[in-house]
PDB file of all heavy atoms in Angstrom:
ATOM      1  N   HIS A   1      -3.662   7.415  12.981  1.00  0.00           N
ATOM      2  CA  HIS A   1      -3.790   8.017  11.649  1.00  0.00           C
ATOM      3  C   HIS A   1      -2.630   7.672  10.818  1.00  0.00           C
ATOM      4  O   HIS A   1      -1.488   7.273  11.214  1.00  0.00           O
ATOM      5  CB  HIS A   1      -3.783   9.600  11.758  1.00  0.00           C
ATOM      6  CG  HIS A   1      -4.874  10.173  12.684  1.00  0.00           C
ATOM      7  ND1 HIS A   1      -4.796  10.173  14.049  1.00  0.00           N
ATOM      8  CD2 HIS A   1      -6.131  10.540  12.375  1.00  0.00           C
ATOM      9  CE1 HIS A   1      -5.998  10.691  14.560  1.00  0.00           C
ATOM     10  NE2 HIS A   1      -6.692  10.944  13.475  1.00  0.00           N
ATOM     11  N   VAL A   2      -2.846   7.699   9.393  1.00  0.00           N
ATOM     12  CA  VAL A   2      -1.730   7.385   8.567  1.00  0.00           C
ATOM     13  C   VAL A   2      -0.662   8.341   8.775  1.00  0.00           C
ATOM     14  O   VAL A   2      -0.774   9.478   8.815  1.00  0.00           O
ATOM     15  CB  VAL A   2      -2.277   7.397   7.049  1.00  0.00           C
ATOM     16  CG1 VAL A   2      -1.188   7.085   6.138  1.00  0.00           C
ATOM     17  CG2 VAL A   2      -3.490   6.478   6.910  1.00  0.00           C
ATOM     18  N   ASP A   3       0.523   7.708   8.713  1.00  0.00           N
ATOM     19  CA  ASP A   3       1.784   8.644   8.865  1.00  0.00           C
ATOM     20  C   ASP A   3       2.652   8.276   7.593  1.00  0.00           C
ATOM     21  O   ASP A   3       2.999   7.157   7.270  1.00  0.00           O
ATOM     22  CB  ASP A   3       2.638   8.090  10.101  1.00  0.00           C
ATOM     23  CG  ASP A   3       3.883   8.943  10.281  1.00  0.00           C
ATOM     24  OD1 ASP A   3       4.798   8.858   9.530  1.00  0.00           O
ATOM     25  OD2 ASP A   3       3.837   9.713  11.275  1.00  0.00           O
ATOM     26  N   GLN A   4       2.918   9.374   6.786  1.00  0.00           N
ATOM     27  CA  GLN A   4       3.497   9.309   5.447  1.00  0.00           C
ATOM     28  C   GLN A   4       4.880   8.526   5.597  1.00  0.00           C
ATOM     29  O   GLN A   4       5.334   8.128   4.534  1.00  0.00           O
ATOM     30  CB  GLN A   4       3.547  10.616   4.842  1.00  0.00           C
ATOM     31  CG  GLN A   4       4.381  11.670   5.683  1.00  0.00           C
ATOM     32  CD  GLN A   4       4.311  12.963   4.826  1.00  0.00           C
ATOM     33  OE1 GLN A   4       3.910  13.083   3.748  1.00  0.00           O
ATOM     34  NE2 GLN A   4       4.616  14.158   5.513  1.00  0.00           N
ATOM     35  N   ASN A   5       5.542   8.755   6.830  1.00  0.00           N
ATOM     36  CA  ASN A   5       6.865   8.172   6.851  1.00  0.00           C
ATOM     37  C   ASN A   5       6.784   6.701   7.407  1.00  0.00           C
ATOM     38  O   ASN A   5       7.452   5.870   6.860  1.00  0.00           O
ATOM     39  CB  ASN A   5       7.715   9.112   7.743  1.00  0.00           C
ATOM     40  CG  ASN A   5       7.871  10.486   7.242  1.00  0.00           C
ATOM     41  OD1 ASN A   5       8.203  10.699   6.052  1.00  0.00           O
ATOM     42  ND2 ASN A   5       7.734  11.450   8.056  1.00  0.00           N
ATOM     43  N   ARG A   6       6.028   6.438   8.457  1.00  0.00           N
ATOM     44  CA  ARG A   6       6.051   5.158   9.089  1.00  0.00           C
ATOM     45  C   ARG A   6       5.224   4.153   8.127  1.00  0.00           C
ATOM     46  O   ARG A   6       5.493   2.902   8.322  1.00  0.00           O
ATOM     47  CB  ARG A   6       5.331   5.280  10.392  1.00  0.00           C
ATOM     48  CG  ARG A   6       6.063   6.146  11.366  1.00  0.00           C
ATOM     49  CD  ARG A   6       5.323   6.313  12.712  1.00  0.00           C
ATOM     50  NE  ARG A   6       5.283   5.101  13.498  1.00  0.00           N
ATOM     51  CZ  ARG A   6       4.572   5.002  14.456  1.00  0.00           C
ATOM     52  NH1 ARG A   6       3.784   6.088  14.991  1.00  0.00           N
ATOM     53  NH2 ARG A   6       4.497   3.904  15.156  1.00  0.00           N
ATOM     54  N   ASP A   7       4.391   4.665   7.385  1.00  0.00           N
ATOM     55  CA  ASP A   7       3.503   3.837   6.576  1.00  0.00           C
ATOM     56  C   ASP A   7       3.567   3.711   5.136  1.00  0.00           C
ATOM     57  O   ASP A   7       2.834   3.278   4.374  1.00  0.00           O
ATOM     58  CB  ASP A   7       2.007   4.283   6.897  1.00  0.00           C
ATOM     59  CG  ASP A   7       1.633   4.177   8.419  1.00  0.00           C
ATOM     60  OD1 ASP A   7       2.106   3.293   9.013  1.00  0.00           O
ATOM     61  OD2 ASP A   7       0.856   5.149   8.832  1.00  0.00           O
ATOM     62  N   ALA A   8       4.953   4.203   4.732  1.00  0.00           N
ATOM     63  CA  ALA A   8       5.262   4.043   3.305  1.00  0.00           C
ATOM     64  C   ALA A   8       5.206   2.573   2.936  1.00  0.00           C
ATOM     65  O   ALA A   8       5.524   1.682   3.595  1.00  0.00           O
ATOM     66  CB  ALA A   8       6.562   4.740   3.014  1.00  0.00           C
ATOM     67  N   LEU A   9       4.889   2.249   1.514  1.00  0.00           N
ATOM     68  CA  LEU A   9       4.751   1.047   1.146  1.00  0.00           C
ATOM     69  C   LEU A   9       5.970   0.268   0.921  1.00  0.00           C
ATOM     70  O   LEU A   9       6.208  -0.863   1.331  1.00  0.00           O
ATOM     71  CB  LEU A   9       3.875   1.023  -0.057  1.00  0.00           C
ATOM     72  CG  LEU A   9       3.507  -0.461  -0.739  1.00  0.00           C
ATOM     73  CD1 LEU A   9       2.815  -1.261   0.356  1.00  0.00           C
ATOM     74  CD2 LEU A   9       2.729  -0.304  -1.978  1.00  0.00           C
ATOM     75  N   GLY A  10       6.926   0.840   0.300  1.00  0.00           N
ATOM     76  CA  GLY A  10       8.212   0.094  -0.111  1.00  0.00           C
ATOM     77  C   GLY A  10       7.959  -0.852  -1.218  1.00  0.00           C
ATOM     78  O   GLY A  10       6.937  -0.832  -1.926  1.00  0.00           O
ATOM     79  N   ALA A  11       8.892  -1.814  -1.336  1.00  0.00           N
ATOM     80  CA  ALA A  11       8.754  -2.765  -2.466  1.00  0.00           C
ATOM     81  C   ALA A  11       7.594  -3.717  -2.111  1.00  0.00           C
ATOM     82  O   ALA A  11       7.245  -4.144  -1.066  1.00  0.00           O
ATOM     83  CB  ALA A  11      10.049  -3.658  -2.538  1.00  0.00           C
ATOM     84  N   PHE A  12       6.839  -3.903  -3.298  1.00  0.00           N
ATOM     85  CA  PHE A  12       5.429  -4.603  -3.124  1.00  0.00           C
ATOM     86  C   PHE A  12       5.167  -5.398  -4.402  1.00  0.00           C
ATOM     87  O   PHE A  12       5.230  -4.710  -5.523  1.00  0.00           O
ATOM     88  CB  PHE A  12       4.345  -3.728  -2.728  1.00  0.00           C
ATOM     89  CG  PHE A  12       3.053  -4.422  -2.616  1.00  0.00           C
ATOM     90  CD1 PHE A  12       2.697  -5.169  -1.407  1.00  0.00           C
ATOM     91  CD2 PHE A  12       2.086  -4.366  -3.640  1.00  0.00           C
ATOM     92  CE1 PHE A  12       1.578  -5.739  -1.278  1.00  0.00           C
ATOM     93  CE2 PHE A  12       0.899  -4.995  -3.502  1.00  0.00           C
ATOM     94  CZ  PHE A  12       0.602  -5.746  -2.356  1.00  0.00           C
ATOM     95  N   LYS A  13       4.826  -6.583  -4.339  1.00  0.00           N
ATOM     96  CA  LYS A  13       4.325  -7.313  -5.480  1.00  0.00           C
ATOM     97  C   LYS A  13       3.018  -8.032  -5.211  1.00  0.00           C
ATOM     98  O   LYS A  13       2.925  -8.860  -4.255  1.00  0.00           O
ATOM     99  CB  LYS A  13       5.298  -8.449  -5.969  1.00  0.00           C
ATOM    100  CG  LYS A  13       4.849  -9.088  -7.253  1.00  0.00           C
ATOM    101  CD  LYS A  13       5.826 -10.169  -7.633  1.00  0.00           C
ATOM    102  CE  LYS A  13       5.512 -10.956  -8.927  1.00  0.00           C
ATOM    103  NZ  LYS A  13       6.355 -12.013  -9.377  1.00  0.00           N
ATOM    104  N   ALA A  14       1.914  -7.584  -5.877  1.00  0.00           N
ATOM    105  CA  ALA A  14       0.610  -8.149  -5.625  1.00  0.00           C
ATOM    106  C   ALA A  14       0.504  -9.604  -5.908  1.00  0.00           C
ATOM    107  O   ALA A  14       1.049 -10.107  -6.943  1.00  0.00           O
ATOM    108  CB  ALA A  14      -0.349  -7.353  -6.530  1.00  0.00           C
ATOM    109  N   LYS A  15      -0.097 -10.313  -5.089  1.00  0.00           N
ATOM    110  CA  LYS A  15      -0.211 -11.839  -5.308  1.00  0.00           C
ATOM    111  C   LYS A  15      -1.535 -12.227  -6.083  1.00  0.00           C
ATOM    112  O   LYS A  15      -1.643 -13.366  -6.383  1.00  0.00           O
ATOM    113  CB  LYS A  15      -0.200 -12.452  -3.967  1.00  0.00           C
ATOM    114  CG  LYS A  15      -1.337 -12.114  -2.968  1.00  0.00           C
ATOM    115  CD  LYS A  15      -1.168 -12.740  -1.558  1.00  0.00           C
ATOM    116  CE  LYS A  15      -2.299 -12.241  -0.671  1.00  0.00           C
ATOM    117  NZ  LYS A  15      -2.153 -12.802   0.665  1.00  0.00           N
ATOM    118  N   ASN A  16      -2.407 -11.274  -6.364  1.00  0.00           N
ATOM    119  CA  ASN A  16      -3.532 -11.662  -7.105  1.00  0.00           C
ATOM    120  C   ASN A  16      -4.099 -10.215  -7.750  1.00  0.00           C
ATOM    121  O   ASN A  16      -3.777  -9.165  -7.256  1.00  0.00           O
ATOM    122  CB  ASN A  16      -4.656 -12.359  -6.417  1.00  0.00           C
ATOM    123  CG  ASN A  16      -5.026 -11.584  -5.158  1.00  0.00           C
ATOM    124  OD1 ASN A  16      -5.848 -10.644  -5.214  1.00  0.00           O
ATOM    125  ND2 ASN A  16      -4.790 -12.108  -3.947  1.00  0.00           N
ATOM    126  N   ALA A  17      -5.090 -10.323  -8.614  1.00  0.00           N
ATOM    127  CA  ALA A  17      -5.580  -9.149  -9.261  1.00  0.00           C
ATOM    128  C   ALA A  17      -6.352  -8.189  -8.281  1.00  0.00           C
ATOM    129  O   ALA A  17      -6.349  -7.007  -8.314  1.00  0.00           O
ATOM    130  CB  ALA A  17      -6.571  -9.515 -10.397  1.00  0.00           C
ATOM    131  N   ILE A  18      -7.057  -8.795  -7.290  1.00  0.00           N
ATOM    132  CA  ILE A  18      -7.778  -7.987  -6.258  1.00  0.00           C
ATOM    133  C   ILE A  18      -6.768  -7.118  -5.411  1.00  0.00           C
ATOM    134  O   ILE A  18      -7.029  -6.046  -5.188  1.00  0.00           O
ATOM    135  CB  ILE A  18      -8.698  -8.913  -5.364  1.00  0.00           C
ATOM    136  CG1 ILE A  18      -9.754  -9.699  -6.268  1.00  0.00           C
ATOM    137  CG2 ILE A  18      -9.357  -8.198  -4.247  1.00  0.00           C
ATOM    138  CD1 ILE A  18     -10.551 -10.689  -5.495  1.00  0.00           C
ATOM    139  N   GLU A  19      -5.798  -7.838  -4.976  1.00  0.00           N
ATOM    140  CA  GLU A  19      -4.746  -7.157  -4.179  1.00  0.00           C
ATOM    141  C   GLU A  19      -4.122  -6.044  -4.967  1.00  0.00           C
ATOM    142  O   GLU A  19      -3.930  -4.894  -4.568  1.00  0.00           O
ATOM    143  CB  GLU A  19      -3.754  -8.077  -3.601  1.00  0.00           C
ATOM    144  CG  GLU A  19      -2.717  -7.443  -2.719  1.00  0.00           C
ATOM    145  CD  GLU A  19      -1.896  -8.566  -2.066  1.00  0.00           C
ATOM    146  OE1 GLU A  19      -1.004  -9.085  -2.739  1.00  0.00           O
ATOM    147  OE2 GLU A  19      -2.140  -8.745  -0.807  1.00  0.00           O
ATOM    148  N   GLY A  20      -3.808  -6.416  -6.311  1.00  0.00           N
ATOM    149  CA  GLY A  20      -3.157  -5.379  -7.196  1.00  0.00           C
ATOM    150  C   GLY A  20      -3.984  -4.048  -7.348  1.00  0.00           C
ATOM    151  O   GLY A  20      -3.570  -3.054  -7.300  1.00  0.00           O
ATOM    152  N   GLY A  21      -5.307  -4.393  -7.628  1.00  0.00           N
ATOM    153  CA  GLY A  21      -6.234  -3.205  -7.654  1.00  0.00           C
ATOM    154  C   GLY A  21      -6.340  -2.416  -6.466  1.00  0.00           C
ATOM    155  O   GLY A  21      -6.369  -1.092  -6.511  1.00  0.00           O
ATOM    156  N   ALA A  22      -6.335  -3.050  -5.341  1.00  0.00           N
ATOM    157  CA  ALA A  22      -6.432  -2.254  -4.127  1.00  0.00           C
ATOM    158  C   ALA A  22      -5.307  -1.408  -3.831  1.00  0.00           C
ATOM    159  O   ALA A  22      -5.288  -0.233  -3.515  1.00  0.00           O
ATOM    160  CB  ALA A  22      -6.737  -3.295  -2.963  1.00  0.00           C
ATOM    161  N   TYR A  23      -4.091  -2.084  -4.090  1.00  0.00           N
ATOM    162  CA  TYR A  23      -2.833  -1.288  -3.624  1.00  0.00           C
ATOM    163  C   TYR A  23      -2.469  -0.284  -4.774  1.00  0.00           C
ATOM    164  O   TYR A  23      -1.599   0.590  -4.404  1.00  0.00           O
ATOM    165  CB  TYR A  23      -1.652  -2.422  -3.670  1.00  0.00           C
ATOM    166  CG  TYR A  23      -1.555  -2.823  -2.185  1.00  0.00           C
ATOM    167  CD1 TYR A  23      -2.415  -3.845  -1.726  1.00  0.00           C
ATOM    168  CD2 TYR A  23      -0.625  -2.171  -1.272  1.00  0.00           C
ATOM    169  CE1 TYR A  23      -2.243  -4.226  -0.333  1.00  0.00           C
ATOM    170  CE2 TYR A  23      -0.593  -2.543  -0.048  1.00  0.00           C
ATOM    171  CZ  TYR A  23      -1.420  -3.549   0.462  1.00  0.00           C
ATOM    172  OH  TYR A  23      -1.197  -3.936   1.791  1.00  0.00           O
ATOM    173  N   ARG A  24      -3.148  -0.239  -5.910  1.00  0.00           N
ATOM    174  CA  ARG A  24      -2.843   0.900  -6.820  1.00  0.00           C
ATOM    175  C   ARG A  24      -3.384   2.177  -6.195  1.00  0.00           C
ATOM    176  O   ARG A  24      -2.982   3.347  -6.708  1.00  0.00           O
ATOM    177  CB  ARG A  24      -3.520   0.605  -8.119  1.00  0.00           C
ATOM    178  CG  ARG A  24      -2.668  -0.141  -9.087  1.00  0.00           C
ATOM    179  CD  ARG A  24      -3.319  -0.257 -10.523  1.00  0.00           C
ATOM    180  NE  ARG A  24      -4.486  -1.098 -10.618  1.00  0.00           N
ATOM    181  CZ  ARG A  24      -4.439  -2.358 -10.925  1.00  0.00           C
ATOM    182  NH1 ARG A  24      -3.246  -3.006 -10.867  1.00  0.00           N
ATOM    183  NH2 ARG A  24      -5.735  -2.992 -11.024  1.00  0.00           N
ATOM    184  N   MET A  25      -4.224   2.124  -5.272  1.00  0.00           N
ATOM    185  CA  MET A  25      -4.797   3.289  -4.551  1.00  0.00           C
ATOM    186  C   MET A  25      -3.935   3.755  -3.302  1.00  0.00           C
ATOM    187  O   MET A  25      -4.216   4.849  -2.761  1.00  0.00           O
ATOM    188  CB  MET A  25      -6.271   3.087  -4.167  1.00  0.00           C
ATOM    189  CG  MET A  25      -7.156   2.849  -5.333  1.00  0.00           C
ATOM    190  SD  MET A  25      -8.894   2.585  -4.697  1.00  0.00           S
ATOM    191  CE  MET A  25      -8.863   0.936  -4.072  1.00  0.00           C
ATOM    192  N   TYR A  26      -3.070   2.885  -2.846  1.00  0.00           N
ATOM    193  CA  TYR A  26      -2.417   3.198  -1.554  1.00  0.00           C
ATOM    194  C   TYR A  26      -1.300   4.105  -1.710  1.00  0.00           C
ATOM    195  O   TYR A  26      -0.249   3.775  -2.532  1.00  0.00           O
ATOM    196  CB  TYR A  26      -1.940   1.833  -0.866  1.00  0.00           C
ATOM    197  CG  TYR A  26      -1.269   2.172   0.399  1.00  0.00           C
ATOM    198  CD1 TYR A  26      -2.148   2.408   1.525  1.00  0.00           C
ATOM    199  CD2 TYR A  26       0.072   2.065   0.681  1.00  0.00           C
ATOM    200  CE1 TYR A  26      -1.607   2.620   2.855  1.00  0.00           C
ATOM    201  CE2 TYR A  26       0.607   2.379   1.982  1.00  0.00           C
ATOM    202  CZ  TYR A  26      -0.213   2.688   2.946  1.00  0.00           C
ATOM    203  OH  TYR A  26       0.362   2.849   4.243  1.00  0.00           O
ATOM    204  N   ASP A  27      -1.396   5.218  -1.085  1.00  0.00           N
ATOM    205  CA  ASP A  27      -0.183   6.211  -1.171  1.00  0.00           C
ATOM    206  C   ASP A  27      -0.191   6.867   0.206  1.00  0.00           C
ATOM    207  O   ASP A  27      -0.994   7.734   0.595  1.00  0.00           O
ATOM    208  CB  ASP A  27      -0.578   7.395  -2.248  1.00  0.00           C
ATOM    209  CG  ASP A  27       0.536   8.252  -2.446  1.00  0.00           C
ATOM    210  OD1 ASP A  27       1.205   8.696  -1.532  1.00  0.00           O
ATOM    211  OD2 ASP A  27       0.672   8.643  -3.671  1.00  0.00           O
ATOM    212  N   ALA A  28       0.740   6.537   0.982  1.00  0.00           N
ATOM    213  CA  ALA A  28       0.737   7.040   2.352  1.00  0.00           C
ATOM    214  C   ALA A  28       1.035   8.460   2.421  1.00  0.00           C
ATOM    215  O   ALA A  28       0.569   9.137   3.488  1.00  0.00           O
ATOM    216  CB  ALA A  28       1.904   6.300   3.143  1.00  0.00           C
TER     217      ALA A  28
END
């Protein structure tokens, strides 16, 4: 299961628009 501490995103830069769109939804 998602763990808010172990699965936090940290620094991230999308490499394309598809990845950028997906990661706008990720919030551990």
